[in-house]
């Protein structure tokens, strides 16, 4: 994923050298991919940029740094983040420490609720309890949430109507705002993509002030050892006919998909009215996909620009579970474009 946002002078650590066809595709799309290398091939001093921030560079290899790992776990733990968002969330949330604690909570609390693992990405690692009849899902806790502790939070379900992510740089405990993006979330709460650009993002005037208040109050809790990107995800929902704002459902102290989108768009530098987006596309279940001919056909039929940001399959031909696709289109055509890409990819 770092190739599309790298510079030509960069070196990108890989486990497998990239497909030459994909490398050429990136260059033809106006990106400037760096040079791939395998671990142990590069010696000397480097400035290390990671998806997260867990390692140090030592004699040509990545070496886990205990202090960075501890800082990363602290910052990205949903349990820790309950302290970050204290007094800023309209939805009740609490830590559940055991199966017995969870049974008691389900008996006493008002449903629906969502259970979240302490660490998880992109709407995964959660279980929704909508009614008492969902008690069978208890057996999924260790499978999907990997045990306790977990976080239990009120679930607004279909009342949730707009998901956003604000992007930041963090330096010495200070937050510097970059932009806001809209997230594409399916009915089950799973992240499917993200978009940026066009006219001003809807509801910015609603959600940005409370997010700014949140950042102001939480930055004193952020260790100064961390410097790097941060994405703060939140959403809007309706309650008794009124719009409510959840300024933060999760902090992501890492390179989020939104940050990758922001970096790719900056490299391609489209017209400010152009909408840029990223879709996370699963490999079709029927197991047959001609990605290059599909991209060419979609670009022609939809009048859009498409850039494959990750390979569809490895060098042996085995498909990856998901592919990341960047698109550019007009604001008016965006809904149709997104739906057409999804249907064509999965057909």
């Amino acid at each position: 994923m770092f190739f599309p946002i790298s510079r030509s002078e960069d070196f990108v650590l890989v486990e497998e050298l990239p497909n030459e066809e994909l490398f050429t595709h990136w260059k033809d799309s106006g990106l400037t991919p760096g040079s791939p290398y395998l671990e142990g091939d590069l010696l000397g001093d480097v400035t290390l940029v990671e998806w997260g921030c867990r390692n140090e560079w030592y004699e040509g290899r990545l070496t886990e740094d205990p202090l960075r790992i501890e800082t990363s776990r602290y910052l990205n733990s949903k349990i820790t983040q309950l302290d970050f968002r204290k007094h800023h969330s309209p939805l009740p949330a609490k830590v559940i420490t055991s199966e017995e604690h969870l049974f008691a909570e389900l008996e006493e609390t008002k449903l629906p609720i969502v259970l979240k693992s302490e660490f998880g990405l992109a709407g995964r690692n959660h279980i929704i309890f909508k009614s008492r009849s969902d008690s069978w899902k208890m057996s999924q806790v260790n499978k999907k949430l990997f045990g306790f502790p977990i976080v239990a939070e009120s679930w607004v379900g279909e009342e949730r109507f707009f998901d956003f992510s604000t992007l930041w740089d963090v330096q010495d405990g200070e937050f510097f705002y970059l932009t806001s993006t809209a997230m594409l979330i399916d009915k089950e709460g799973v992240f499917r993509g993200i978009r940026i650009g066009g006219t001003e993002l809807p509801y910015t005037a609603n959600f940005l002030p409370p997010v700014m208040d949140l950042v102001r109050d939480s930055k004193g809790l952020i260790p100064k050892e961390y410097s790097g990107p941060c994405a703060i995800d939140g959403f809007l929902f309706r309650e008794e006919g009124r719009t409510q704002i959840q300024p933060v459902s999760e902090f992501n102290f890492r390179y989020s998909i939104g940050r990758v989108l922001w970096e790719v768009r900056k490299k391609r530098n489209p017209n400010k009215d152009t909408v840029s987006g990223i879709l996370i596309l699963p490999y079709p279940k029927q197991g047959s996909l001609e990605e290059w001919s599909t991209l060419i056909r979609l670009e022609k039929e939809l009048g859009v620009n498409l850039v494959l940001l990750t390979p569809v399959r490895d060098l042996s031909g085995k498909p990856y579970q998901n592919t990341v696709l960047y698109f550019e289109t007009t604001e008016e055509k965006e809904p149709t474009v997104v739906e057409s890409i999804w249907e064509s990819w999965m057909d």
Side-chain angles (χ1 to χ4, degrees):
M1 182 64 86
F2 269 103
F3 268 118
I5 64 175
S6 62
R7 304 167 301 172
S8 58
E9 62 267 31
D10 291 336
F11 294 92
V12 183
L13 174 63
V14 294
E15 294 183 357
E16 180 180 81
L17 295 176
N19 182 295
E20 187 59 39
E21 192 172 20
L22 182 59
F23 219 73
T24 301
H25 172 65
W26 289 333
K27 291 180 177 179
D28 290 345
S29 301
L31 304 178
T32 56
S35 301
Y37 77 96
L38 301 172
E39 192 170 58
D41 291 348
L42 182 65
L43 300 176
D45 295 331
V46 302
T47 299
L48 181 62
V49 179
E50 295 184 275
W51 187 261
C53 187
R54 297 171 54 88
N55 297 280
E56 63 179 352
W57 186 255
Y58 181 71
E59 294 186 350
R61 295 183 181 277
L62 290 177
T63 304
E64 288 190 337
D65 183 317
L67 177 59
R68 292 186 181 187
I69 290 174
E70 181 181 346
T71 301
S72 178
R73 288 185 63 83
Y74 170 82
L75 289 172
N76 291 292
S77 164
K78 292 184 179 65
I79 292 172
T80 300
Q81 291 176 10
L82 290 182
D83 288 333
F84 296 174
R85 60 191 249 191
K86 190 180 296 183
H87 311 306
H88 289 276
S89 173
L91 299 175
K94 62 174 63 176
V95 178
I96 305 296
T97 57
S98 67
E99 190 172 271
E100 293 75 19
H101 188 181
L102 177 56
F103 270 116
E105 185 66 22
L106 291 174
E107 285 293 325
E108 298 172 6
T109 195
K110 180 182 178 182
L111 299 179
I113 64 169
V114 58
L115 307 181
K116 301 178 180 180
S117 63
E118 182 176 9
F119 301 101
L121 297 175
R124 298 178 179 88
N125 306 111
H126 72 240
I127 300 173
I128 300 168
F129 283 79
K130 295 182 179 179
S131 67
R132 306 297 173 196
S133 62
D134 283 341
S135 58
W136 63 271
K137 295 180 180 179
M138 287 285 296
S139 62
Q140 293 186 316
V141 171
N142 287 326
K143 180 180 178 181
K144 291 191 70 173
L145 306 186
F146 314 115
F148 297 90
I150 59 179
V151 171
E153 182 177 82
S154 292
W155 173 254
V156 293
E158 294 180 359
E159 298 304 311
R160 176 172 170 168
F161 67 91
F162 183 77
D163 289 75
F164 61 86
S165 182
T166 56
L167 305 182
W168 307 77
D169 270 333
V170 181
Q171 297 177 8
D172 298 324
E174 293 290 331
F175 283 74
F176 299 91
Y177 176 70
L178 299 177
T179 192
S180 298
T181 62
M183 293 193 286
L184 308 176
I185 308 293
D186 70 14
K187 293 181 179 179
E188 297 303 317
V190 177
F191 176 82
R192 294 302 187 194
I194 199 161
R195 54 91 73 192
I196 194 173
T199 57
E200 184 179 27
L201 198 65
Y203 309 108
T204 301
N206 298 74
F207 69 74
L208 200 51
V211 174
M212 292 292 183
D213 290 341
L214 164 78
V215 167
R216 182 198 64 226
D217 291 348
S218 63
K219 65 182 181 181
L221 301 172
I222 308 304
K224 292 190 175 183
E225 289 82 1
Y226 180 79
S227 288
C230 177
I232 303 176
D233 300 342
F235 57 87
L236 275 63
F237 64 99
R238 295 183 179 91
E239 185 178 59
E240 298 179 350
R242 294 182 300 174
T243 296
Q244 299 286 352
I245 302 163
Q246 168 67 299
V248 54
S249 56
E250 183 177 16
F251 289 79
N252 297 290
F253 289 90
R254 56 177 175 78
Y255 273 85
S256 64
I257 293 295
R259 180 56 179 262
V260 171
L261 171 59
W262 187 79
E263 299 281 0
V264 171
R265 179 179 170 90
K266 187 168 62 171
K267 279 181 171 291
R268 285 183 53 83
N269 193 29
N271 185 295
K272 68 177 183 178
D273 294 330
T274 297
V275 171
S276 298
I278 278 179
L279 294 176
I280 310 299
L281 299 169
Y283 194 82
K285 291 183 179 179
Q286 68 268 25
S288 60
L289 175 67
E290 297 291 338
E291 61 269 24
W292 297 114
S293 60
T294 299
L295 292 183
I296 292 171
R297 177 176 59 81
L298 284 171
E299 285 189 320
K300 184 177 180 179
E301 290 179 356
L302 301 175
V304 298
N305 293 314
L306 300 175
V307 184
L308 207 57
L309 298 184
T310 63
V312 171
R313 52 183 60 80
D314 63 22
L315 293 184
S316 71
K318 181 180 178 181
Y320 291 110
Q321 183 176 355
N322 293 299
T323 300
V324 180
L325 180 69
Y326 171 87
F327 68 85
E328 289 173 353
T329 186
T330 64
E331 197 160 12
E332 295 75 19
K333 292 167 59 177
E334 179 199 357
T336 301
V337 165
V338 169
E339 188 64 27
S340 297
I341 291 173
W342 188 268
E343 289 180 356
S344 293
W345 199 267
M346 301 306 293
D347 186 6

